[in-house]
Amino acid sequence: MGAAGAVPLTGSDRLFLGELGSARDHRLHIALAARMPGPAPDSGELRRLVAESAARAPVLTYRLARGGWEPDPAFDPACHVVEYQVAPGRDVGAAVVDAVRDNRLLPEHPLWSLMVVHGYAADEHILCYRVHHAFQDGVAAARIATRAVLLGRAVPAPDPDVAVRAPAMARMRLLATAARLAAPSARLRPPPGRTGGTQSGARTFFLRLDVAAFREIAAATGASVPQVGLAVLAGALRAWNPAHWRKAGRRGTTVSFPLNLNGRLRDGGLGNGATIMPVVLPCAEPAARERLRGVMEQTSFERMAVYRRDRYPVRAPAAVFRLLRWLVPKAFPGRMTVSVIGVNLPLDGCFAVPPTYETGGGAVSMVYSDTTVVVSCVLSATLAHGDRLPRLMEEALHELRREVTR
């Protein structure tokens, strides 16, 4: 029997905790960072902010226990505060990545922390909400960070009654999705040329895109921000190595597009409440307008509704988890995961830090608001010339804008 209020692990919780890494592994940590004006708060102010945030969002007090999540009876705000000072003039994105990498989470406490990164400028600091990817998915993390931490709003407590056995058909749909992800697809292929020496570890790039261009494209085509973002990425990957996509039979590359289930599965924001929808980025299509059309057909509201039914079962035979663990490594090597997260904040500088575990491919996170679109791109060190992609995404966005508005 679990403790009162305990919430069982979902299948995706188990995959992230048991197969891909431990709670201490920073490569499985994700973060939402916000650039804040003025000097950094001191440790006392940070502890008060953590305590107040936990009172507004009970999920922040849940720790990992045997078989599930349970409230920590000895929750201590001091265990969730990290101060990280960097040298003046340091690149903001690189500083946040280093802060996430250098400060581990402790498995005996709730798997999150509030980090303040400062010193790079006299008139600004970063507040960074960092979590383990099993504790929360990207949308849940953004929701808690924005509502409870930055906006001071209440979030419902996690509901232990979500622990229902998924019907057999839902499990079959999930396995079918995993099989589609693992199906043969064109891998990411960097352009030829020297890489400048051997490198190790994933590399992270940050890029701010023109939100006005997104608005114009959406108005002209009826596309959503995520759809425009996927089409822009397809254009950038095509321009990255155009010869790779001219070969006969090579249409595009399959990416994993997470769909959040919070609000239906776990409104309190606990656990990795996401399912995956395969999307083929039409990199072989030479016309930017047609690339967007191809993305829109695959990511229609109706198709996403179907994939939202493929939620991971909370309880399932052990064979299901063994099969998923066998399929996941085969699905992701050389592939890319692309997530798009909307935030409602009166800030102009929010960005995500995706997980950095090495897959031979990459992860792209786009955070958008009314004022900005910021792209975070984590690429395998095995992909040469990855530093060209940010510029190519800017060019792909303007190419798409020209085609649909002329």
Side-chain angles (χ1 to χ4, degrees), residues 31 33 35 84 86 89-101 117 120 124 126 128 203-207 349-354 356 374-378:
R35 301 178 72 148
Y84 194 83
V86 299
R90 179 78 194 282
D91 177 77
V92 172
V96 172
V97 170
D98 285 350
V100 172
R101 182 195 64 192
V117 180
Y120 62 90
E124 183 183 284
I126 295 285
C128 178
R203 293 165 291 163
T204 307
F205 308 98
F206 297 91
L207 169 69
C350 289
F351 60 94
V353 178
T356 57
V374 181
V375 181
S376 311
C377 185
V378 176

Side-chain angles (χ1 to χ4, degrees), residues 168-309:
M169 186 57 68
R171 293 198 291 270
M172 294 302 294
R173 286 197 298 265
L174 174 63
L175 293 176
T177 297
R180 284 191 285 273
L181 283 168
S185 170
R187 298 292 176 88
L188 299 178
R189 187 74 64 189
R194 296 182 60 84
T195 65
T198 59
Q199 294 177 318
S200 61
R203 293 165 291 163
T204 307
F205 308 98
F206 297 91
L207 169 69
R208 179 175 295 192
L209 293 176
D210 183 1
V211 69
F214 275 77
R215 290 199 190 103
E216 289 185 32
I217 294 167
T221 63
S224 65
V225 169
Q227 289 170 337
V228 174
L230 287 169
V232 166
L233 179 60
L237 291 176
R238 173 181 173 80
W240 191 40
N241 186 0
H244 176 58
W245 302 107
R246 295 193 188 112
K247 294 186 178 179
R250 189 167 286 160
R251 295 189 307 119
T253 185
T254 301
V255 300
S256 301
F257 187 61
L259 297 177
N260 183 262
L261 297 174
N262 283 313
R264 188 171 68 87
L265 177 61
R266 285 184 167 173
D267 191 51
L270 180 61
N272 192 294
T275 189
I276 297 295
M277 183 171 73
V279 175
V280 178
L281 296 184
C283 304
E285 172 56 56
R289 180 191 292 270
E290 292 305 313
R291 290 195 293 269
L292 177 59
R293 190 193 308 276
V295 166
M296 292 175 67
E297 289 174 354
Q298 295 180 73
T299 57
S300 65
F301 178 82
E302 293 77 14
R303 189 167 188 258
M304 288 194 293
V306 169
Y307 276 91
R308 282 195 168 96
R309 294 200 299 267

Side-chain angles (χ1 to χ4, degrees), residues 16-243:
F16 278 108
L17 287 167
E19 180 64 18
L20 295 176
S22 71
R24 298 178 185 273
D25 190 345
H26 69 85
R27 296 172 302 167
L28 284 164
H29 297 172
I30 61 174
L32 182 75
R35 301 178 72 148
M36 309 293 289
D42 60 30
S43 57
E45 292 174 297
L46 287 172
R47 286 194 296 270
R48 284 192 294 273
L49 178 56
V50 167
E52 293 167 357
S53 299
R56 290 187 289 261
V59 62
L60 296 177
T61 67
Y62 276 68
R63 66 180 180 182
L64 184 63
R66 181 180 295 275
W69 309 98
E70 66 178 18
D72 183 358
F75 176 77
D76 183 358
C79 296
H80 300 275
V81 170
V82 174
E83 296 181 75
Y84 194 83
Q85 185 167 2
V86 299
R90 179 78 194 282
D91 177 77
V92 172
V96 172
V97 170
D98 285 350
V100 172
R101 182 195 64 192
D102 294 343
N103 295 274
R104 306 301 172 89
L105 291 168
L106 300 177
E108 63 269 23
H109 298 292
L111 298 177
W112 69 278
S113 64
L114 185 64
M115 316 177 80
V116 59
V117 180
H118 62 102
Y120 62 90
D123 58 350
E124 183 183 284
H125 64 280
I126 295 285
L127 275 183
C128 178
Y129 176 74
R130 181 267 304 264
V131 303
H132 191 283
H133 210 7
F135 181 71
Q136 287 176 336
D137 57 73
V139 170
R143 180 169 180 258
I144 297 302
T146 56
R147 289 182 62 87
V149 179
L150 296 174
L151 295 178
R153 298 175 184 171
V155 176
D159 183 1
D161 293 333
V162 300
V164 295
R165 182 181 294 274
M169 186 57 68
R171 293 198 291 270
M172 294 302 294
R173 286 197 298 265
L174 174 63
L175 293 176
T177 297
R180 284 191 285 273
L181 283 168
S185 170
R187 298 292 176 88
L188 299 178
R189 187 74 64 189
R194 296 182 60 84
T195 65
T198 59
Q199 294 177 318
S200 61
R203 293 165 291 163
T204 307
F205 308 98
F206 297 91
L207 169 69
R208 179 175 295 192
L209 293 176
D210 183 1
V211 69
F214 275 77
R215 290 199 190 103
E216 289 185 32
I217 294 167
T221 63
S224 65
V225 169
Q227 289 170 337
V228 174
L230 287 169
V232 166
L233 179 60
L237 291 176
R238 173 181 173 80
W240 191 40
N241 186 0

Side-chain angles (χ1 to χ4, degrees), residues 165 171 313-321:
R165 182 181 294 274
R171 293 198 291 270
V314 173
R315 296 172 183 169
V320 173
F321 294 114

